[in-house]
Amino acid sequence: MPITNDGITYRAADTHAHIYPGKIAEKATASVGHFYHTDMLNVGLPHVLRERGKAAGIDRFLVCSVATKVEQVRSINEFIERKCREYPEFVGLAAWHQDVEDVAAELDDIQRRGLRGVKLHPDFQEFFIDDPRMMPFYEEMNRRGLPVLFHTGDNRTDFSSPRRLMNVLEKIPDFTCIAAHLGGYTVWEEAKRTLHGTNVYVDTSSSLFALSPEQAQNSIRHFGVEHTMFGTDFPMWDPSEEVERFLALGLSEEENRMIFYDNFARLFRLED
């Protein structure tokens, strides 16, 4: 069933969800929990995402996984493509790695698979967002009109700081990217202070648990309601709880519609 609040019905998409193959799902989920010192509320299996998401009123999911070794890129992308075929509700992002040598060939493969962009997690992959060797990749993604979803921010590291993403945007001003976690996990004030851009989007994942409604609203206003999307960071958080946290912000009906679904559909050119 769709989300209903105060008599208003909303369509919703989860624009930040991780899935893993069954044989590694429990290990991969536990590893993420260990990195963030938190108990994971789910296991990152595709059918669990769909079940928990639909129970929360979510009917589309932007799914991804992260390659920590360059040789994982193709196998992860094959997995994401396969699950997008199996689950029509899924929209897939490709994995990438900083050591990919033939950028054009790998992006050709990604587009052949019908994947709609790329997910990067600089903290897991251990590279700086503004590493010069990444610039040809960003430029080619921009040329092809493919967005990059960045894990952004962590006060324990500097790999993914909003400032480093801004360094990229100063060189590619129209670069379409999603700075996850309202622009910077645990560094939300830095994100508002340093990050801006015409085609910069943010998602709400792994943020609403820590921010007051006023703080979250301030971040959304900074980046723009039209550039903000709802996300859960599944399997870290429970989709139903994240929906409740978002609705507790008290935004208007129009703003809820934009953030829950319309911005996602526009960015990824969805027709349904």
Side-chain angles (χ1 to χ4, degrees):
M1 295 179 61
I3 294 167
T4 301
N5 185 63
D6 291 336
I8 301 169
T9 299
Y10 299 101
R11 187 176 190 186
D14 181 351
T15 63
H16 195 132
H18 302 268
I19 57 172
Y20 312 105
K23 63 182 179 180
I24 67 164
E26 289 193 7
K27 182 178 179 180
T29 300
S31 178
V32 174
H34 178 75
F35 185 86
Y36 287 108
H37 307 294
T38 189
D39 294 329
M40 304 294 278
L41 297 182
N42 304 277
V43 176
L45 291 164
H47 74 276
V48 176
L49 170 63
R50 183 174 66 173
E51 290 170 4
R52 300 287 169 82
K54 285 187 176 293
I58 300 166
D59 71 354
R60 297 303 295 268
F61 306 86
L62 187 64
V63 297
C64 61
S65 193
V66 175
T68 55
K69 299 178 182 178
V70 67
E71 56 266 26
Q72 295 172 339
V73 169
R74 284 287 175 101
S75 62
I76 290 174
N77 292 343
E78 289 170 2
F79 166 71
I80 297 291
E81 176 193 17
R82 186 167 67 252
K83 292 305 168 182
C84 286
R85 294 182 186 279
E86 184 176 347
Y87 298 93
E89 306 94 334
F90 289 1
V91 175
L93 293 182
W96 191 264
H97 192 273
Q98 61 268 29
D99 292 336
V100 167
E101 293 185 357
D102 193 334
V103 170
E106 203 62 51
L107 287 178
D108 286 345
D109 181 77
I110 285 168
Q111 290 189 287
R112 277 196 299 269
R113 298 181 188 281
L115 304 179
R116 304 295 191 93
V118 163
K119 168 64 187 292
L120 294 173
H121 197 308
D123 299 337
F124 287 176
Q125 296 174 291
E126 297 187 340
F127 74 93
F128 294 108
I129 285 182
D130 57 355
D131 187 327
R133 63 181 164 158
M134 295 296 291
M135 293 306 297
F137 163 68
Y138 298 147
E139 289 167 350
E140 185 63 13
M141 289 290 287
N142 194 50
R143 188 185 71 80
R144 295 178 187 229
L146 297 173
V148 178
L149 168 58
F150 290 95
H151 166 90
T152 317
D154 193 319
N155 57 20
R156 301 171 298 172
T157 77
D158 189 36
F159 289 117
S160 63
S161 73
R163 169 181 52 83
R164 290 190 179 276
L165 179 53
M166 193 65 220
N167 290 341
V168 174
L169 291 164
E170 287 173 353
K171 296 177 181 177
I172 314 175
D174 58 346
F175 182 38
T176 300
C177 60
I178 306 164
H181 320 309
L182 286 177
Y185 173 74
T186 71
V187 292
W188 293 286
E189 292 304 313
E190 177 191 343
K192 288 187 292 184
R193 191 168 58 248
T194 63
L195 184 58
H196 58 87
T198 303
N199 293 327
V200 175
Y201 290 75
V202 296
D203 67 42
T204 65
S205 69
S206 287
S207 298
L208 303 183
F209 79 101
L211 296 174
S212 70
E214 182 181 15
Q215 289 171 321
Q217 288 177 29
N218 287 341
S219 290
I220 291 169
R221 304 292 179 217
H222 171 80
F223 292 105
V225 172
E226 71 281 3
H227 281 185
T228 303
M229 300 181 292
F230 174 78
T232 70
D233 216 356
F234 177 91
M236 184 171 287
W237 306 106
D238 180 77
S240 292
E241 290 184 2
E242 288 300 293
V243 168
E244 290 179 5
R245 286 170 174 155
F246 176 72
L247 289 172
L249 301 183
L251 301 178
S252 70
E253 176 183 347
E254 181 182 4
E255 291 168 331
N256 286 339
R257 291 195 188 283
M258 293 172 70
I259 295 172
F260 265 140
Y261 191 81
D262 292 352
N263 295 336
F264 164 73
R266 184 183 72 252
L267 177 59
F268 289 96
R269 303 179 179 90
L270 303 183
E271 296 179 357
D272 61 337

